[in-house]
Amino acid sequence: MQIALHIGAHSTDDDHLLNCLLKNRGALKQGGIVVPEPQRYRPVIRDTLKILRNDVATAETQEIILDAVLDEDDASRVVLSHEGFLGPAGNAVGQNLIYPHTSGKSARLRNLFSQYEVEFFLALRDPATFVPSVFERVSEPDFSAWSNGLDPMTLRWSDMLTRLKNAVPDAPVTVWCNEDTPLIWPEVLREIAGLDPTQTLIGQNDFLGTLMSKAGATRLEAYLEDRPPQNETQRRRIVAAFLDKFAKEEAIEQEIDLPGWTSAYVEQLTALYDEDVAQIAKLPGVRLIAP
């Protein structure tokens, strides 16, 4: 059995991925792909990890977990998604690192399913918007107090992914940039579900509807139905054109209001992020989905 773990990052998904796959759970189940309801596995995994600490789950414990999560006996792939698998949003950055507890958290997740093939999936996000986004989700109103000397210029996803791979060397890792998600969304869904590249999913355009005006989303759906794209490249061009014309500004532009974060500072952070993504494309054992 394969276990696909979608581990975040925070403020990149809002369960859109899980909700789309749940809409298709009947068809997916016929292919042996099981997408459990989150309330069935998130508490079970959380509580079991607390008990196990750093120990490897016994075969009996792993069977108990899957029995609690699954109704099916013939699942070939199970998709589990939770942005909190690596910790709460408030701990997403610290010690000048992205997810400073990656090594321990990911190793414990791997130990939880040591008898099975495990894959990790993760959306990356520009630190220029990632840091403000996770700060918005904490109770501390003072950025300086929460950030505790953090230097965002030092944050590198490549470092986080290196720590992840070192902790779980046998587990493939697939990542993509949150900024590219609208263009590559169907491919991301298929990769996590383990589907054929030609397969389509019910509601795979729902996510785009959250980024566009209602009229734009309706016109996009009609256009794709009347003129089905011949390949992913063509589909991305169509989506890009509709986003350019109908995107809601508040959905694609984030207002950043942090002390000392000038437009020049934000641009520099984004430039460093772009350089980092180029390095990630070269990391062994890590696959980058890009437009």
Side-chain angles (χ1 to χ4, degrees):
M1 182 189 295
Q2 300 170 338
I3 310 289
L5 296 174
H6 174 226
I7 60 174
H10 287 92
S11 300
T12 63
D13 179 68
D14 295 327
D15 277 342
H16 288 300
L17 184 150
L18 181 59
N19 290 335
C20 181
L21 295 181
L22 284 171
K23 285 185 178 181
N24 293 268
R25 63 188 308 185
L28 293 173
K29 183 179 177 180
Q30 293 179 10
I33 303 162
V34 179
V35 186
E37 294 282 353
Q39 61 268 25
R40 291 196 62 173
Y41 61 84
R42 289 176 181 175
V44 171
I45 290 177
R46 180 193 64 228
D47 295 343
T48 307
L49 288 175
K50 286 181 181 178
I51 296 171
L52 288 176
R53 305 292 295 175
N54 296 320
D55 295 332
V56 177
T58 64
E60 181 182 6
T61 298
Q62 293 180 58
E63 185 176 350
I64 291 172
I65 294 170
L66 291 176
D67 283 345
V69 169
L70 306 177
D71 294 322
E72 300 79 6
D73 296 324
D74 57 348
S76 60
R77 186 177 181 88
V78 180
V79 179
L80 306 175
S81 175
H82 186 25
E83 65 174 14
F85 275 145
L86 295 183
N91 294 338
V93 292
Q95 306 170 40
N96 286 330
L97 297 172
I98 297 175
Y99 291 109
H101 305 296
T102 291
S103 297
K105 295 281 189 179
S106 57
R108 291 170 70 193
L109 283 168
R110 182 70 187 94
N111 289 343
L112 200 62
F113 301 106
S114 62
Q115 293 190 121
Y116 306 100
E117 299 176 33
V118 173
E119 301 177 46
F120 287 84
F121 295 86
L122 174 71
L124 317 177
R125 183 168 178 172
D126 184 351
T129 62
F130 182 61
V131 173
S133 293
V134 294
F135 172 60
E136 288 177 358
R137 300 175 60 172
V138 302
S139 57
E140 171 58 63
D142 187 308
F143 178 73
S144 296
W146 170 74
S147 59
N148 192 28
L150 175 74
D151 180 4
M153 291 289 179
T154 67
L155 298 177
R156 299 289 185 274
W157 285 102
S158 56
D159 170 75
M160 179 266 181
L161 292 170
T162 298
R163 286 182 281 121
L164 174 61
K165 281 302 301 179
N166 287 341
V168 290
D170 67 327
V173 176
T174 299
V175 301
W176 60 96
C177 295
N178 184 59
E179 298 77 17
D180 295 333
T181 299
L183 302 181
I184 60 175
W185 187 236
E187 184 175 356
V188 169
L189 292 168
R190 290 193 298 265
E191 286 294 325
I192 292 178
L195 298 174
D196 184 275
T198 61
Q199 194 158 344
T200 59
L201 291 164
I202 297 170
Q204 68 178 23
N205 294 322
D206 290 355
F207 169 65
L208 293 173
T210 67
L211 306 177
M212 299 182 191
S213 65
K214 185 175 181 179
T218 301
R219 290 179 64 175
L220 174 61
E221 284 279 8
Y223 189 96
L224 292 173
E225 185 174 345
D226 293 341
R227 305 172 182 83
Q230 300 302 306
N231 50 54
E232 278 299 315
T233 300
Q234 188 180 38
R235 185 186 186 281
R236 290 169 185 168
R237 288 173 181 166
I238 294 169
V239 170
F242 272 81
L243 284 171
D244 186 57
K245 187 172 183 179
F246 296 106
K248 295 183 288 188
E249 184 176 351
E250 66 273 15
I252 60 173
E253 296 290 339
Q254 179 177 347
E255 184 177 347
I256 299 173
D257 184 21
L258 293 177
W261 285 48
T262 63
S263 58
Y265 183 82
V266 170
E267 288 175 7
Q268 189 174 356
L269 283 174
T270 298
L272 291 171
Y273 172 60
D274 291 340
E275 293 175 5
D276 193 32
V277 171
Q279 293 301 313
I280 289 168
K282 304 174 185 176
L283 287 179
V286 175
R287 184 196 169 203
L288 173 66
I289 302 176

